[in-house]
Amino acid sequence: MHAKQTNDLAVASSIFSGAYGAEISLAVEQNSSLLVHWLTYLSSYHKTGVGDVLLDAVASAIREAAGALSLGLVRPALFSMRSQIDLLLGWLYFKDHRVEWLHVNQTGDGFRLKKELLNYLDLHIPGFGARIGTLREIKTRNEVDPYRLLSAHIHAQSVPVLPVVTDLVDLVRPKSACLECAEVSFEVAEFLNDLLLAVYAANWASLPVPVQSALLSRFKSAEQQRAFFP
């Protein structure tokens, strides 16, 4: 029985990948483009030698999501998308906290929670909270905070997000579900883009042109633009 189940799963995921994998993987790549631009920029100009592997891990998590969805696997992709948020927020903190980063790696304890990290940024980055407020007003994503949506799926917090798997082949979801999940990668990318804009607004002149263009296209008034820039 186990051999049949695993064989059926392998066949179904292979058929799915052959038919739709490239299209879905491309959708994730395109939806994640803002975040990819940021990762290139941060890796080039803002590494501190502490916790920089977290930036590489974010890039890996994007690839994980694309790979999982190209096989029809939605829930693993959602895990990878949420980890992008955890990892990047972690980098924003640990890059300036060598002792704490060493402690995490020695003990496995001390990785900061999202709420703690946002409070840390609000406390230590001048104008962070005000800029986040402006960016929320002009968001183009559906979710103000996609972390909540992803957490609901990961923790199976209500009936609509409970896993339903009778046979292993049920792990391979329909194309429509995978494309819908691929759209969440944009929600994550813009959410992280906005956090990074709020942190690095003072570096505006050096930010990637696609990041600059995407933000400028979102402003609805001169007042919003004046409120954002330092």
Side-chain angles (χ1 to χ4, degrees), residues 98-113:
R98 182 178 297 273
V99 172
E100 290 84 349
W101 177 242
L102 181 63
H103 176 74
V104 166
N105 285 279
Q106 288 178 334
T107 68
D109 296 324
F111 205 92
R112 308 292 178 170
L113 299 175

Side-chain angles (χ1 to χ4, degrees), residues 133-141 190 194 215 217-221 224 228:
T134 298
L135 292 167
R136 284 176 177 169
E137 291 177 4
I138 58 174
K139 69 177 179 65
T140 64
R141 61 187 184 275
E190 188 180 88
D194 288 1
L215 175 61
S217 70
R218 288 165 57 188
F219 286 120
K220 300 174 184 177
S221 68
Q224 288 176 333
F228 174 82

Side-chain angles (χ1 to χ4, degrees), residues 103-155:
H103 176 74
V104 166
N105 285 279
Q106 288 178 334
T107 68
D109 296 324
F111 205 92
R112 308 292 178 170
L113 299 175
K114 171 176 167 280
K115 183 177 180 180
E116 292 180 278
L117 294 171
L118 291 176
N119 288 338
Y120 166 81
L121 294 173
D122 191 32
L123 180 63
H124 293 284
I125 304 295
F128 177 84
R131 286 193 288 273
I132 283 293
T134 298
L135 292 167
R136 284 176 177 169
E137 291 177 4
I138 58 174
K139 69 177 179 65
T140 64
R141 61 187 184 275
N142 293 317
E143 299 288 332
V144 172
D145 185 352
Y147 194 87
R148 295 183 61 192
L149 172 67
L150 292 166
S151 295
H153 281 273
I154 289 168
H155 298 300

Side-chain angles (χ1 to χ4, degrees), residues 166-216:
T166 302
D167 298 312
L168 294 184
V169 72
D170 297 333
L171 293 170
V172 180
R173 305 293 296 142
K175 176 187 178 183
S176 58
C178 293
L179 286 174
E180 183 178 356
C181 184
E183 293 175 3
V184 179
S185 58
F186 174 77
E187 302 277 306
V188 171
E190 188 180 88
F191 175 72
L192 290 175
N193 168 74
D194 288 1
L195 291 178
L196 291 167
L197 282 169
V199 172
Y200 290 104
N203 299 75
W204 174 258
S206 69
L207 297 185
V209 172
V211 170
Q212 294 178 337
S213 300
L215 175 61
L216 293 175

Side-chain angles (χ1 to χ4, degrees), residues 38-56:
W38 270 109
L39 292 174
T40 300
Y41 168 76
L42 295 173
S43 296
S44 298
Y45 300 109
H46 292 280
K47 283 186 173 180
T48 65
V50 181
D52 292 330
V53 291
L54 293 171
L55 292 177
D56 297 330

